[in-house]
Amino acid sequence: MSLFLAVAMALVCGLLFTRITQKFHLPDVTAYLVAGVLIGPYGLGLLGIDGIGFTSTGMVEEVSFLGDLALGFIAFEIGNEFRLEELKKTGRQALIVGVLQAVITTLLVDVVLVGLALTIAGDKLSVPAAITLGAIASATAPAATLMVIKQYKAKGKVTDILLPVVALDDAVGLALFAISFGIAKALAGGSLDMVSIVVNPLVEIIGSLIIGAIMGWVMTHLEKLFHSNRNRTSLTIGLLLLTVGLSMLKFHVGPVHVGFSSLLVCMMMGTVFCNLSDISEDLMNRTDKWSAPIMALFFVLSGAELELSVFTDIAIVGIGAMYIASRSAGKYYGANLSCRLAGCDPTITKYLGITLLPQAGVALGMSATAASLPGDGLIIRNIVLFGVLIYELVGPSLTKMALTKSGDIVEKEAHRTRERFVKKSA
């Protein structure tokens, strides 16, 4: 009962906080995250009263499945951005930018943190940990980006390329992490494991795309059995839940670890479905409306998960600040350079990098995997948590600012002014 009350309180508080942040022109994502922190273990949870917030991180973890579900919906919707007619316009540019900026970010963070590990921070940060953090830095949070786009109905040159880039960014990030983490474990243990470095990431990426493609094909054909929008929407949600569940399967085939990325699986499912089904756009819009409360809960719970205790260690704060600074530089200048090489519009070149700063779920998942690195798992997780805390609170506002300056977001007041001008002219 107390967990049920805490979840209900999370949703209501998150929604109420949007009325406050709205007055400061902040995105709803920020409101949800702040509400999560306030009702989390470091806020009202400290009172220890059942039903009044989350009294422990364990309580938050008990409803972590809601996060997996929300990420599935997010990835499914991002798949809608890979329609073939749209890819003909931005596909080549998105591919170049998505891959190159992720690689540049990883290399820059590697250089900065390995330099720290070899000089002034050697007692806190090892070279294997620095290399692992460099790979984690490549990941971008699609959830916060998509939420801002939807809230402000962003539409334009930057938005058109942003979502495909974010999706590709996470695919590249998974590969970079697998390779870097394999190298880090080799440095820490003294032996090079080619299965972990090469085979496992390939299996994860290719397997995820195959399962997603199959489920997208299945969804396309099953939707034809129903004619009412209610039944079609229910089927879409049911198949999406099934796909998220399948993507969480993990097993071994000999020395090879077989696992899947729910983001890649659901993204591929959405991509295949939107390109094969004539009614995909309408169904995706209906599914999006159904998933709204789950999305709100996801961000509130993300805020509740943030561990403010990382601020108590000055060394973590210092290394975390360098991680944030180098990753931000990598994302901004990496996107700028790759946009120039891809021949993107000057507006995209100028503002895209700022929109790639948010970081959350994927990075936290990588840090959980990195916890197995002997002696370094804790510092990796704390630094990533520090980065996520800053990026999730600041990133959505920066994304909104960049999309506004690029002209993709038109403020409501501007709409009203334009309407008054048109009426007066008439």
Side-chain angles (χ1 to χ4, degrees), residues 52-70:
I52 306 298
F54 294 92
T55 56
S56 67
T57 55
M59 280 189 70
V60 183
E61 290 172 2
E62 286 186 57
V63 290
S64 61
F65 68 92
L66 291 173
D68 297 324
L69 181 58

Side-chain angles (χ1 to χ4, degrees), residues 133 305-325 359 364 367 378-394:
L133 285 166
E305 284 181 324
L306 296 176
E307 296 187 20
L308 304 185
S309 59
V310 296
F311 288 112
T312 60
D313 191 330
I314 300 301
I316 296 296
V317 173
I319 297 171
M322 293 302 296
Y323 169 81
I324 291 170
Q359 188 177 48
L364 290 173
S367 70
L378 183 60
I379 190 169
I380 291 173
R381 177 165 175 75
N382 284 342
I383 290 171
V384 172
L385 280 169
F386 179 84
V388 166
L389 177 63
I390 302 301
Y391 279 125
E392 283 297 271
L393 291 176
V394 178

Side-chain angles (χ1 to χ4, degrees), residues 20-86:
I20 299 174
T21 55
Q22 189 180 56
K23 297 182 183 298
F24 298 96
H25 306 289
L26 295 172
D28 287 351
V29 179
T30 304
Y32 297 142
L33 290 165
V34 172
V37 172
L38 291 178
I39 67 170
Y42 295 93
L44 291 177
L46 291 173
L47 299 176
I49 303 174
D50 287 342
I52 306 298
F54 294 92
T55 56
S56 67
T57 55
M59 280 189 70
V60 183
E61 290 172 2
E62 286 186 57
V63 290
S64 61
F65 68 92
L66 291 173
D68 297 324
L69 181 58
L71 287 174
F73 276 103
I74 291 163
F76 180 69
E77 189 165 345
I78 288 177
N80 192 40
E81 301 301 317
F82 288 90
R83 293 181 181 271
L84 292 178
E85 61 266 26
E86 296 297 326

Side-chain angles (χ1 to χ4, degrees), residues 39 77 85 106 124 136 154 209 224 234 242 266 270 303 307 334 337 368 425:
I39 67 170
E77 189 165 345
E85 61 266 26
T106 292
K124 282 284 186 179
I136 294 174
L209 295 178
K224 296 176 182 178
S234 297
L242 175 61
C266 294
E307 296 187 20
L337 175 60
S425 299

Side-chain angles (χ1 to χ4, degrees), residues 25-238:
H25 306 289
L26 295 172
D28 287 351
V29 179
T30 304
Y32 297 142
L33 290 165
V34 172
V37 172
L38 291 178
I39 67 170
Y42 295 93
L44 291 177
L46 291 173
L47 299 176
I49 303 174
D50 287 342
I52 306 298
F54 294 92
T55 56
S56 67
T57 55
M59 280 189 70
V60 183
E61 290 172 2
E62 286 186 57
V63 290
S64 61
F65 68 92
L66 291 173
D68 297 324
L69 181 58
L71 287 174
F73 276 103
I74 291 163
F76 180 69
E77 189 165 345
I78 288 177
N80 192 40
E81 301 301 317
F82 288 90
R83 293 181 181 271
L84 292 178
E85 61 266 26
E86 296 297 326
L87 287 179
K88 290 177 183 177
K89 303 175 186 176
T90 61
R92 172 184 162 274
Q93 292 178 338
L95 179 62
I96 294 173
V97 176
V99 174
L100 194 55
Q101 57 81 25
V103 173
I104 290 173
T105 301
T106 292
L107 292 176
L108 181 57
V109 176
D110 276 345
V111 170
V112 172
L113 295 188
V114 168
L116 279 177
L118 294 175
T119 53
I120 60 176
D123 59 329
K124 282 284 186 179
L125 183 69
S126 69
V127 172
I131 292 173
T132 303
L133 285 166
I136 294 174
S138 65
T140 298
T145 302
L146 183 62
M147 197 78 166
V148 172
I149 289 173
K150 287 163 60 177
Q151 180 186 348
Y152 295 101
K153 297 179 174 59
K155 189 175 182 181
K157 296 175 182 177
V158 178
T159 304
D160 287 343
I161 196 174
L162 173 57
L163 289 177
V165 166
V166 169
L168 288 167
D169 177 277
D170 285 329
V172 175
L174 288 170
L176 289 172
F177 175 74
I179 294 169
S180 297
F181 189 52
I183 294 172
K185 287 196 294 185
L187 291 174
S191 61
L192 194 63
D193 182 5
M194 293 304 294
V195 172
S196 298
I197 296 175
V198 179
V199 179
N200 286 346
L202 284 176
V203 169
E204 179 173 348
I205 293 171
I206 295 173
S208 297
L209 295 178
I210 290 174
I211 291 179
I214 292 172
M215 292 305 295
W217 182 85
V218 169
M219 177 181 283
T220 301
H221 288 278
L222 289 182
E223 295 287 0
K224 296 176 182 178
L225 300 176
F226 300 90
H227 302 287
S228 72
N229 289 324
R230 178 181 297 177
N231 287 335
R232 282 175 168 170
T233 302
S234 297
L235 179 64
T236 302
I237 294 167

